[in-house]
């Protein structure tokens, strides 16, 4: 497997088209994480079936969030994406998130070239309200069986807020 942080960068952040690596397919209970030290995908744990991922999940190369991991993404597609691929994605917003007291934000993206959806999804407002509720419920509760109250969605932000967080995470990567 390629070392994504060596061969990719974050992409064209200013224009909202970024590179994203898929870790977890939508519907999976496998918590697959990029292991930066070994440059491989690693199964970290298996979640309860009731907390299968509501979206595909990935990361932006050459970024570091405040939790010390690459900046996470929630990838909205009609079908699950396989682990280990990368794609160009359009930034549509951000879910500001805290996990066990640490900032662990999630940039929300869609494929940059989505001919099925007619490239119509440009912002979070273009998503069904029910999907936003389901994502928020998932992230507010997915650790509740082990540690109630450990996670909290603080708010949803727009494209510009998402780009600002990406830029901050790029700077953190460069200064690591």
């Amino acid at each position: 497997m390629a070392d994504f942080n060596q061969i990719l960068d974050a992409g064209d952040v200013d224009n909202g088209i970024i590179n994203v690596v898929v870790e977890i397919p939508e519907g999976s209970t496998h918590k697959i994480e990029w292991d930066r030290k070994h440059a491989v995908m690693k199964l970290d744990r298996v979640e309860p079936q009731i907390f299968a991922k509501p979206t595909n999940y990935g990361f932006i190369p050459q970024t570091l969030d405040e939790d010390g991991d690459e900046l996470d993404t929630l990838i909205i597609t009609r079908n699950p994406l396989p682990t280990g691929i990368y794609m160009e994605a359009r930034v549509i917003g951000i879910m500001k998130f805290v996990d066990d007291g640490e900032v662990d934000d999630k940039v929300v993206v869609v494929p940059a070239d989505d001919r099925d959806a007619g490239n119509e999804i440009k912002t979070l407002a273009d998503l069904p309200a029910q999907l936003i509720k389901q994502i928020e419920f998932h992230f507010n509760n997915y650790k509740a069986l082990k540690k109630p109250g450990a996670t909290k969605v603080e708010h949803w932000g727009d494209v510009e807020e998402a780009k600002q967080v990406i830029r901050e995470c790029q700077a953190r990567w460069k200064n690591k």
Side-chain angles (χ1 to χ4, degrees):
M1 179 168 286
D3 184 338
F4 296 107
N5 286 314
Q6 294 295 318
I7 63 170
L8 297 172
D9 60 20
D12 186 358
V13 177
D14 291 340
N15 288 312
I17 304 296
I18 61 172
N19 292 316
V20 172
V21 177
V22 178
E23 293 170 298
I24 308 170
E26 176 183 343
S28 179
T29 60
H30 295 155
K31 178 60 169 113
I32 301 167
E33 293 186 341
W34 175 247
D35 180 330
R36 187 179 328 124
K37 179 180 176 187
H38 297 101
V40 295
M41 294 290 179
K42 173 187 174 186
L43 178 64
D44 182 63
R45 64 184 179 270
V46 178
E47 298 286 6
Q49 189 65 43
I50 59 171
F51 290 116
K53 285 288 183 245
T55 69
N56 301 286
Y57 192 90
F59 71 90
I60 304 169
Q62 294 189 18
T63 61
L64 281 181
D65 202 356
E66 292 181 43
D67 67 352
D69 292 332
E70 286 83 355
L71 181 57
D72 294 326
T73 58
L74 303 177
I75 310 160
I76 310 296
T77 61
R78 185 182 299 257
N79 297 303
L81 297 170
T83 299
I85 66 165
Y86 90 93
M87 60 186 278
E88 288 187 337
R90 173 179 289 108
V91 175
I92 65 167
I94 190 164
M95 184 181 80
K96 298 293 290 178
F97 182 66
V98 175
D99 184 351
D100 214 10
E102 293 183 320
V103 173
D104 191 9
D105 295 331
K106 317 292 182 202
V107 175
V108 185
V109 301
V110 295
D113 183 5
D114 187 347
R115 298 169 195 182
D116 184 50
N119 293 318
E120 291 183 356
I121 302 173
K122 307 279 191 216
T123 70
L124 292 172
D126 297 326
L127 295 177
Q130 184 66 14
L131 177 60
I132 297 292
K133 288 178 189 175
Q134 290 170 349
I135 294 168
E136 189 165 329
F137 181 85
H138 172 86
F139 282 96
N140 277 332
N141 294 287
Y142 78 108
K143 290 188 175 179
L145 294 174
K146 184 174 181 180
K147 189 174 181 185
T151 60
K152 180 167 180 25
V153 175
E154 293 191 322
H155 74 272
W156 295 86
D158 65 11
V159 172
E160 289 308 312
E161 185 174 352
K163 288 186 207 177
Q164 182 58 37
V165 169
I166 296 168
R167 287 184 199 104
E168 290 167 6
C169 291
Q170 285 179 295
R172 198 173 291 112
W173 173 268
K174 288 177 185 169
N175 294 323
K176 67 175 171 112

